Amino acid sequence: MKALVYQGAGHTAWQDVSDPGIIDAADAIVRVDTVTICGTDLHIIKGDVPEVEPGRVLGHEAVGTVVETGGDVRTVRPGDRVLISCISACGRCRYCREGRYGQCRGGGGWVLGHLIDGTQAEYVRVPFADLSVHPLPSAVDSVDAVLLADIFPTSYEVGVLNGGVRPGDTVVVVGAGPIGLAAITTAQLYSPSRIIAVDPVESRLAAARKLGADATATAGEGPEQLVTDLTDGLGADVVMEAVGLPEAFEMCTRMVRPGGRVANIGVHGRPATLHLEDLWIKDVTLTTGLVDTTSTPMLLRMMAAGRLSAGELVTHRFELGQMEEAYEVFGRAAETGAIKVALGGPQHTAVTVADPPAAG
């Protein structure tokens, strides 16, 4: 089969690799129908994630069709269309029993495209399939669904829930890329009074405004002063870091109010300074985290009911074999306007249900 293979910092190739096979009785083999690219993949290619070894197939988000299952798999069978979660869960270790799948110690956690071969391929082996894939209703479009593999549960769990967004809060999201835009979307479930988006790219700020941001600012437009002005000098209740750069994190800690919360979502490849000389007295809560994906079934139900819109974040579509071109477009997002890209994928539309025949 063809797959996108990491070949060391700065190098990848769309090349022939061996087909995956069942290794464990809990495995499923899935034909990839729709896949996307994550900002974390870009971090990997830059060499920011040293655990990823050359030769690894990248990718941890996909929608596909089950083609084979191990003998222990009970929840899906060949022919089922499924969402592949970015997190695999053994279901047995202490962390999985607590619902903290991202910290799984039984061979799961973030393994796809990280410690084992991932989803940017024609086929993928998914471990612990009963807890790591989700059957999809026919009414849910594949391009919409693939955004529930990672960015929506990540923004919701690591950003909105960890940040403790409450009704009436002022929320700042630093970084209006895919994660930041999903955070803006899901923060609105808790009725904050105001959402402020910060990003250096005007096209992403325009997308943020379209998705519900009340105010926006580039880094050169004084976002810290904007937050000060809009909060009468108090600062934001919740600030989410969705970039993964030291300067972005440090900006977040300057914009939060005393007693506020800073939720770090971004993947950091370099050290950031924690200014405890300023923060120690402010009662600030700082959270970090890897998504657990425990919210994925709920988000999927909302999408199936028409209560969660995701597909509008997809700005570019490609055939699966155009993987390298898709990476080029996604990696130059400031120039191309890319927010999220989708590759492959048959489209699924709502099923029309006929009226029942009249009684009698």
Side-chain angles (χ1 to χ4, degrees), residues 199-289:
D199 196 276
V201 181
E202 176 53 40
S203 63
R204 293 193 168 194
L205 293 180
R209 290 189 291 270
K210 181 179 179 182
L211 291 170
D214 302 287
T216 61
T218 65
E221 292 175 335
E224 294 176 47
Q225 187 61 50
L226 174 64
V227 172
T228 297
D229 293 343
L230 291 177
T231 60
D232 296 323
L234 189 63
D237 300 286
V238 180
V239 187
M240 303 183 205
E241 199 282 347
V243 181
L245 293 176
E247 53 269 31
F249 172 79
E250 292 167 29
M251 179 192 296
C252 291
T253 63
R254 292 192 297 268
M255 291 193 292
V256 69
R257 68 166 173 82
R261 289 89 67 195
V262 176
N264 183 87
I265 316 173
V267 177
H268 288 262
R270 292 186 283 128
T273 301
L274 181 63
H275 288 282
L276 285 175
E277 73 277 12
D278 297 322
L279 295 173
W280 74 271
I281 201 170
K282 292 179 66 175
D283 296 342
V284 169
T285 298
L286 170 65
T287 61
T288 66

Side-chain angles (χ1 to χ4, degrees), residues 67-121:
V67 296
E68 185 180 1
T69 58
D72 289 348
V73 177
R74 296 290 180 268
T75 61
V76 293
R77 59 185 180 181
D80 287 349
R81 190 170 69 106
V82 296
L83 170 67
I84 301 172
S85 175
C86 66
I87 298 295
S88 302
C90 78
R92 298 185 296 270
C93 71
R94 171 179 174 174
Y95 287 109
C96 284
R97 288 177 179 272
E98 294 174 355
R100 300 181 65 185
Y101 301 152
Q103 304 302 320
C104 175
R105 291 298 184 266
W110 173 36
V111 292
L112 289 171
H114 180 206
L115 304 179
I116 66 173
D117 287 340
T119 59
Q120 290 170 5

Side-chain angles (χ1 to χ4, degrees), residues 6 8-10 39-50 52-53 56 58-60 110 112-114 267:
Y6 175 66
T40 303
D41 297 321
L42 300 183
H43 281 282
I44 291 171
I45 293 170
K46 290 176 183 177
D48 290 344
V49 188
V52 180
E53 299 177 348
R56 178 69 62 228
L58 297 182
H60 51 267
W110 173 36
L112 289 171
H114 180 206
V267 177

Side-chain angles (χ1 to χ4, degrees), residues 126-143:
V126 183
F128 310 116
D130 280 337
L131 286 174
S132 305
V133 301
H134 303 272
L136 286 175
S138 60
V140 175
D141 184 272
S142 295
V143 171

